[in-house]
Amino acid sequence: MGTYLNMFRLDDKVAVVTGAASGIGQGIAELFASIGAQVIVADIDLQAALAVAKGIEEQGGKACAMQVDVSDESKVIQAFEQIVAQFGGLDILVNNAAIFPKRPFLEVETEFWDKLQSVNLRGTFLCLREAIKHMKVFGGGSIVNISSVSSMQAVVYHNAAYNASKAGVNALTRTTALEFATDGIRVNAVLPGGVPTAGAKAASSAIEIKGPMLGQGRIPLGGMGEPLDIANAVLFFASPASRYITGQLLAVDGGFLVS
C-alpha cells in the first residue's frame, strides 16, 4: 500500500500554480506542498501570494511567492526563466489564474471581452508555451489546466465570454497533449462545477444570477464543491498515478453534467 500511495507524492517536484493566492489555486498549492512539492505561488496579487506561501512554510511545506500577470507575455517569459534558474527545472504547471465577471450578452463590449480572454485564454496559452519550452529540455512534465463545466454546458446566464474562454482552454489542452506527448509532457484539464470561493461570490454579487445550475436537484451529489475537491483531481493528473493519461477533461461537479 505504501508503494502505491507514493505514486501520489510530489517529493522534490517543482510546481507552479497560477492564481494561487486564493480560492481553488490556494487549495492546490497547499495540497501540493503538503505532499512534498516545492510550490511557486504565482499570482498578480503579490501580498496575498506571500501570505499563502508563508502559511505553507509554517505548516512545514516549501513555497515561495511570485508576482505574475499571466496576460503579459514578457512577464510570463521572465517568470518561467526565473523559476528554472532558481530551482533547476520545472515539473508541474497548474494553469488556474482566471477572472470571471458576468455581463448580459447584449451588454458585452469588446473591451470587456478582450480583458477576460487576455487572462483566461491568452494567459493559459502563454504559461503553456513557456512551461513546455522548459519541460522539453528537462525530459517532460505534467500540466493541468483549470477549465469549467461551463465550457461544456451553459450553466448560468451572463457568462458567454467566460464560457468561450474556457472552451478555448479545453481546445488548448487537447492540442498540446497531442503535440507534446512524445516529449514526455502530459496535458489534462479539470473542469470544476460550482465552488463558492470568495472570488466567485464577488463576481456574482453585482448581477442577478440565474440559470439551470440553480435548479433544485441539479447536483446529484448535493451542494457545492470545495477547493480541496478540485485540488484532489488536479493532484491525480499532476502525479505519477496518471502517467498514462493525457488530453483528458475531467469534470469535478458533483454530477451536474449528467443531471
Side-chain angles (χ1 to χ4, degrees), residues 121-226:
L121 188 52
R122 185 170 76 211
T124 296
F125 153 68
L126 289 171
C127 291
L128 269 169
R129 188 187 70 189
E130 295 311 303
I132 289 170
K133 285 180 182 177
H134 293 291
M135 287 178 174
K136 281 170 64 69
V137 173
F138 292 104
S142 178
I143 299 173
V144 187
N145 298 322
I146 305 302
S147 180
S148 171
V149 294
S150 297
S151 67
M152 307 291 286
Q153 180 173 321
V155 175
V156 297
Y157 298 161
H158 315 314
N159 239 14
Y162 177 80
N163 294 358
S165 74
K166 291 302 186 177
V169 169
N170 294 351
L172 280 175
T173 298
R174 289 177 165 144
T175 301
T176 52
L178 174 63
E179 293 188 14
F180 299 102
T182 56
D183 295 297
I185 299 170
R186 298 185 299 107
V187 189
N188 293 286
V190 170
L191 284 58
V195 179
T197 63
K201 291 176 181 177
S204 300
S205 64
I207 191 168
E208 181 183 358
I209 302 302
K210 55 185 178 178
M213 181 168 244
L214 305 184
Q216 186 175 5
R218 288 306 305 271
I219 304 178
L221 291 182
M224 295 291 190
E226 299 293 336

Side-chain angles (χ1 to χ4, degrees), residues 31 46 88 97 118 216:
L31 177 61
L46 179 58
S118 74
Q216 186 175 5

Side-chain angles (χ1 to χ4, degrees), residues 23-247:
I24 290 173
Q26 179 178 351
I28 295 167
E30 291 173 345
L31 177 61
F32 279 16
S34 74
I35 52 178
Q38 166 64 59
V39 178
I40 293 87
V41 180
D43 203 282
I44 196 169
D45 186 339
L46 179 58
Q47 294 306 310
L50 285 167
V52 171
K54 181 180 179 182
I56 288 172
E57 291 182 325
E58 288 174 347
Q59 295 298 314
K62 296 178 290 184
C64 71
M66 178 174 289
Q67 186 175 38
V68 183
D69 178 353
V70 298
S71 70
D72 187 320
E73 182 175 29
S74 64
K75 295 292 174 43
V76 171
I77 293 171
Q78 180 181 4
F80 279 92
E81 289 178 346
Q82 181 180 335
I83 289 163
V84 170
Q86 182 174 346
F87 297 104
L90 175 62
D91 302 293
I92 299 164
L93 165 66
V94 181
N95 271 314
N96 171 74
I99 57 174
F100 24 84
K102 295 175 173 57
R103 185 169 295 183
F105 183 73
L106 296 181
E107 298 175 18
V108 172
E109 301 165 340
T110 54
E111 182 180 2
F112 176 90
W113 176 274
D114 290 345
K115 175 61 177 177
L116 193 147
Q117 305 304 326
S118 74
V119 177
N120 296 9
L121 188 52
R122 185 170 76 211
T124 296
F125 153 68
L126 289 171
C127 291
L128 269 169
R129 188 187 70 189
E130 295 311 303
I132 289 170
K133 285 180 182 177
H134 293 291
M135 287 178 174
K136 281 170 64 69
V137 173
F138 292 104
S142 178
I143 299 173
V144 187
N145 298 322
I146 305 302
S147 180
S148 171
V149 294
S150 297
S151 67
M152 307 291 286
Q153 180 173 321
V155 175
V156 297
Y157 298 161
H158 315 314
N159 239 14
Y162 177 80
N163 294 358
S165 74
K166 291 302 186 177
V169 169
N170 294 351
L172 280 175
T173 298
R174 289 177 165 144
T175 301
T176 52
L178 174 63
E179 293 188 14
F180 299 102
T182 56
D183 295 297
I185 299 170
R186 298 185 299 107
V187 189
N188 293 286
V190 170
L191 284 58
V195 179
T197 63
K201 291 176 181 177
S204 300
S205 64
I207 191 168
E208 181 183 358
I209 302 302
K210 55 185 178 178
M213 181 168 244
L214 305 184
Q216 186 175 5
R218 288 306 305 271
I219 304 178
L221 291 182
M224 295 291 190
E226 299 293 336
L228 185 58
D229 296 317
I230 311 306
N232 287 336
V234 174
L235 170 60
F236 170 66
F237 279 142
S239 74
S242 62
R243 69 176 189 86
Y244 197 56
I245 300 173
T246 196

